[in-house]
Amino acid sequence: MPNVLVVVWDFDTRRLRVPVENSLLCIQLRIGALLYMARTAFAKHIDRHQLDYCLVVAPEYLFSKEMPVSFISEEEKEIIRATLIDISKINPWLILVPGTTLWFKSMLRPD
């Protein structure tokens, strides 16, 4: 049976949403904070316990924008998805649960 460290990041995302301006910077900072929290928690507990995985649960709507525009763009969603995939490949011990992401799909699609 593998040993799993569970880390829960809890804050009120209704009060601290991604700003409409500089949203990509804020998204990258949130992803960085998620990864930093996981690495720090895992490193602190690895000495005392034989840990196999670190499960990190982020708050719901971590990547939703300020009102009145709550939804992020499809491009921003793809950046989040690709970044989380890269992080997962580099850190096989890490299991990320990034919460619900609000995004809108463009009606204009390439051929």
Side-chain angles (χ1 to χ4, degrees):
M1 181 82 140
N3 291 318
V4 179
L5 172 66
V6 178
V7 177
V8 178
W9 185 9
D10 183 32
F11 72 88
D12 189 354
T13 54
R14 290 174 294 177
R15 293 184 179 197
L16 190 61
R17 295 211 170 171
V18 173
V20 175
E21 299 154 4
N22 297 322
S23 59
L24 283 176
L25 175 61
C26 185
I27 287 168
Q28 289 297 333
L29 290 173
R30 287 186 182 203
I31 292 171
L34 203 60
L35 182 58
Y36 176 78
M37 183 175 25
R39 286 182 173 163
T40 302
F42 196 72
K44 282 184 179 179
H45 291 88
I46 195 75
D47 295 335
R48 288 180 265 156
H49 309 285
Q50 183 59 33
L51 294 175
D52 299 306
Y53 299 102
C54 182
L55 171 67
V56 179
V57 181
E60 285 295 310
Y61 307 111
L62 179 63
F63 301 109
S64 62
K65 286 189 179 177
E66 292 176 336
M67 298 303 254
V69 184
S70 296
F71 298 89
I72 63 173
S73 69
E74 188 171 7
E75 177 188 11
E76 291 167 324
K77 187 263 306 179
E78 285 300 315
I79 290 169
I80 293 168
R81 187 189 61 75
T83 304
L84 293 178
I85 287 172
D86 288 345
I87 289 171
S88 295
K89 287 179 182 177
I90 295 169
N91 303 284
W93 52 269
L94 181 59
I95 303 167
L96 289 173
V97 181
T100 303
T101 301
L102 294 176
W103 63 282
F104 63 89
K105 187 172 187 174
S106 172
M107 295 298 289
L108 301 173
R109 308 305 296 167
D111 292 334

